Each structure stands twice: as structure tokens, then as C-alpha cells.
Amino acid sequence: FRSKLFLLLSVAVICWVDGGYLARAFGDIADFALPALRLSWLAAPIVAYLAYLICVHLLKKEDRLNFFSTVLFVLVALASIFAGLTNLVIESYNFTGGIIYVTEGIFYFPYLICVFASIISSIWVVIFYRKPLVNNTLMVGVVCFFLISTIFNIFLPNFLNIYSLYFVGHYSSTIL
């Protein structure tokens, strides 16, 4: 089961990172860039949820967190579907100077809340169910990855209108 989770996480990270890269690389070709951008945004909540599941599995808390994991799965599935297959999260984009500026749809902020809920859940599980020496590396990796991702993919673009460093959040996946 663990190897399947890691494989799924790897595929989701590749979609997240490569979708973002391809959207930037081909930003002037809307028919290619917008689907690539949507792929990246479809994958982002899945990355966060799979990281959460890996933490739950490694700490052997599946039974204790089964209901919460199911609720979180439904939220992540809806966020991914809305982001990847509709205009409800990303209405359109603007490509200027090699930087993509997203035009938010009506479910943009609920989407961010779902992603943030997955991030907080992963960090909470790792800190709350922490076992000495068993998961110190896991805890540091998860916290660093999500901290960097939150700063560069959520906080800077949405609250300070800084989109030029967005790619840093994608490459933080190497920590995970």
C-alpha cells in the first residue's frame, strides 16, 4: 500500500510541477497553456491529500482518522474537479513578461481553502501523532514542503500580488 501511495504522489507532483512549467513555457499559446495550468491546479490538492495519507499511513493512524480522511477526500476531489475541468476556479489567465496571472473564478477561494485544509491536516497529523525518532525526518520534510508551497503558491500571489516566484513552490516538492 505504501509504495502505491508514493507512486500516486510522484505522478501527482509531476502533473503539478510540469503543468505549471508548461503553462509558463507556452503561456502565449492559450489552447495549450490553459489546460496545462488547469492540470497543475487539478493536481495541487491531490498532492496535498496524498502527502496527508502518507503521513497517516506511516504513523499507523488509518483507523483513528478514517472518517476525517474520507471527508477530506471528498473536499479534495471536488476542488480538483472544479479546478481541472471547469472555469469555476481559473476563469482565464494573462501571460505578461513570462509570468502567468490567474483570473479567479467564483470557486477560487473555496478551492484555496480545500488545499489549505489538506496542508494543515498533514502538518497536524505529523505533529500531533509524532513519535520520537520514527518520523522526525518526515515531520521536517512535510512542514518545510508545505510552508514553502503555502508562501510561494498561496500567500504571495493572492495577498501580495507577487506571481513571479510562483515556480519556487513547485520545486519545493523535492523536499517532500
Side-chain angles (χ1 to χ4, degrees):
F1 183 71
R2 185 182 317 184
S3 60
K4 291 177 185 175
L5 277 178
F6 279 110
L7 176 64
L8 288 172
L9 179 62
S10 299
V11 170
V13 166
I14 288 169
C15 290
W16 179 50
V17 173
D18 288 352
Y21 169 76
L22 291 171
R24 280 191 315 277
F26 298 98
D28 52 345
I29 305 170
D31 289 338
F32 187 79
L34 189 56
L37 187 62
R38 287 204 171 118
L39 172 65
S40 181
W41 283 54
L42 178 145
I46 295 170
V47 168
Y49 181 72
L50 289 172
Y52 161 80
L53 278 184
I54 288 171
C55 293
V56 169
H57 179 70
L58 290 176
L59 296 171
K60 297 176 176 50
K61 298 297 176 187
E62 297 94 344
D63 293 338
R64 185 177 198 96
L65 296 170
N66 191 31
F67 177 75
F68 181 76
S69 297
T70 303
V71 171
L72 193 58
F73 171 79
V74 170
L75 290 174
V76 164
L78 289 172
S80 291
I81 289 168
F82 287 157
L85 304 176
T86 72
N87 292 340
L88 297 174
V89 175
I90 302 172
E91 190 173 305
S92 64
Y93 77 98
N94 198 356
F95 186 67
T96 307
I99 300 170
I100 290 183
Y101 299 90
V102 172
T103 303
E104 299 97 354
I106 58 172
F107 281 116
Y108 181 79
F109 285 104
Y111 168 86
L112 291 181
I113 291 168
C114 288
V115 172
F116 196 66
S118 292
I119 291 170
I120 294 301
S121 299
S122 297
I123 293 171
W124 174 75
V125 165
V126 169
I127 291 173
F128 187 75
Y129 292 110
R130 188 168 170 249
K131 294 178 184 176
L133 300 175
V134 173
N135 66 329
N136 287 337
T137 305
L138 174 67
M139 183 180 73
V140 170
V142 166
V143 170
C144 287
F145 166 68
F146 283 128
L147 182 64
I148 293 168
S149 294
T150 301
I151 290 169
F152 289 99
N153 293 123
I154 296 175
F155 181 75
L156 291 178
N158 293 296
F159 299 106
L160 299 179
N161 206 28
I162 299 172
Y163 287 85
S164 59
L165 299 173
Y166 193 81
F167 67 92
V168 175
H170 288 140
Y171 299 130
S172 69
S173 63
T174 57
I175 296 170
L176 192 60

